[in-house]
Amino acid sequence: MTSAPDLQSAPPYAGGDPYADYRPAPADVPFADLADLADRRLGAGVLAANDEFFAERENLLRTEPARFDPHAFGHKGKIMDGWETRRRRGPSGDAPHPGADEHDWALVRLGAPGVVRGVVVDTAHFRGNHPREVSVEAAALPGTPGTDELLADSVRWTELVPRTPVRGHAANVFPVSAERRWTHLRLAQYPDGGVARLRVHGEAVPDPEWLRLLGTYDLVSVLNGGVVEDASDRFFSPQRNMILPDRSRKMEDGWESRRRRDTAHDWARFRLAGHAAIRAVELDTGYYLGNAAGWAALSASEDGGRTWTEFLPRTPLRPDSVHRFPLAAPVTATHVRLDTFPDGGVARLRLHGGLTEDGRTELARRFGRLTEA
């Protein structure tokens, strides 16, 4: 007896480029330019999983693409770069299949609590061992809850991605519309199997009371609600890297444009944590040696980017260096534009200061709206 082919499965690995049938078109991930709120570099973690027999749960949040070595086997079987559970079984030989609702799960703490705009459940290299379906739920808890607290019956979980079939060896893309600030996610796979990576794209929403206590902080950091809205070019690496909280550790950790062959220049536009007063600037070209931007300028806007006022004139940049610029007077802005001449790489942009009274009021209003029960 033969069964119908599984349309959700990718064919077995047959050599060559292991990603050849995997890469999605950029248009299929419309929210990919937003920060990954589950990025390990932001402090995210996989707190627990009910099973990780073949591959550890922590692999879900690794920042690099999943790798595949066709010859790597261990005592438990094929070594996979992802989270993989054992095969579920029914109660007896007469009923060998698991129940319809049986599933495995993993609990994820977001590194930056915020509004989720889209989720990517990436089953790269899981071909005949991917789950049949997945779902994603979210919760919002204060502080740093542990596994027992998250699994308590009193915790309210909200469905972001309903139980949905997924394809093997694919980036399964799910837009999310729930307008709320989340702190934790629960990924479920039915009935078992492997997921390589979980990406949770969205906008961080900081606690306004925490920012008030800090006083001075990086107004464009993703952890504090900064967003890179757009950029002229993202050929070598994405512009969102510039607002990560840590230092760059290699060239691909920053933003690098292609070599220009015209007389124009590159730029990136940022939305700050709110209406703010900028007091000092850092421009970091770490790990960019022969390909750092040659000069940079900064402009501020208080009307959403309709008009701009330059506050840091065109300034030469050194390769692989941190440049610090104290401002003679605070610069108020909601948006900042970085212009680089003519092209090249910038690892990090820091805009140190604090929210104005209007900015604090608006952030508190938004925070309350997104956290109310």
Side-chain angles (χ1 to χ4, degrees), residues 273-289:
H275 190 263
I278 307 166
R279 302 188 187 95
V281 171
E282 285 185 62
L283 277 166
D284 183 355
T285 57
Y287 292 93
Y288 291 113
L289 296 169

Side-chain angles (χ1 to χ4, degrees), residues 22 29 31 118-122 170-174 195 197-201:
Y22 158 73
V29 193
F31 43 78
V119 173
V120 180
V121 179
D122 186 341
N172 298 276
V173 177
F174 303 100
V195 173
R197 299 288 189 267
L198 177 68
R199 305 296 187 220
V200 185
H201 295 281

Side-chain angles (χ1 to χ4, degrees), residues 276-361:
I278 307 166
R279 302 188 187 95
V281 171
E282 285 185 62
L283 277 166
D284 183 355
T285 57
Y287 292 93
Y288 291 113
L289 296 169
N291 52 349
W295 294 263
L298 289 168
S299 300
S301 174
E302 296 185 83
D303 58 12
R306 291 185 293 276
T307 60
W308 296 95
T309 301
E310 187 177 78
F311 66 94
L312 181 71
R314 192 179 304 193
T315 302
L317 298 181
R318 301 293 184 189
D320 194 28
S321 302
V322 177
H323 308 76
R324 294 190 171 97
F325 305 100
L327 302 180
V331 174
T332 55
T334 58
H335 292 72
V336 165
R337 189 184 71 226
L338 167 67
D339 293 290
T340 58
F341 302 89
D343 52 37
V346 173
R348 296 291 186 270
L349 172 66
R350 311 284 191 217
L351 301 174
H352 300 290
L355 293 180
T356 63
E357 184 176 349
D358 287 346
R360 290 191 296 270
T361 299

Side-chain angles (χ1 to χ4, degrees), residues 161-244:
V161 177
R163 185 171 169 179
T164 306
V166 292
R167 295 182 63 85
H169 192 47
N172 298 276
V173 177
F174 303 100
V176 173
S177 59
E179 195 72 16
R180 186 174 172 83
R181 179 184 187 266
W182 306 111
T183 61
H184 294 79
L185 297 187
R186 181 164 60 187
L187 170 66
Q189 54 173 341
Y190 297 82
D192 53 41
V195 173
R197 299 288 189 267
L198 177 68
R199 305 296 187 220
V200 185
H201 295 281
E203 300 166 10
V205 180
D207 183 340
E209 177 62 15
W210 178 249
L211 295 188
R212 185 191 69 80
L213 292 169
L214 291 179
T216 297
Y217 41 87
D218 182 3
L219 295 159
V220 76
S221 169
V222 61
L223 288 177
N224 297 328
V227 175
V228 188
E229 291 187 329
D230 201 1
S232 58
D233 186 282
R234 61 209 73 183
F235 186 83
F236 288 111
S237 48
Q239 69 274 17
R240 66 175 181 270
N241 285 349
M242 282 188 287
I243 62 173
L244 290 172

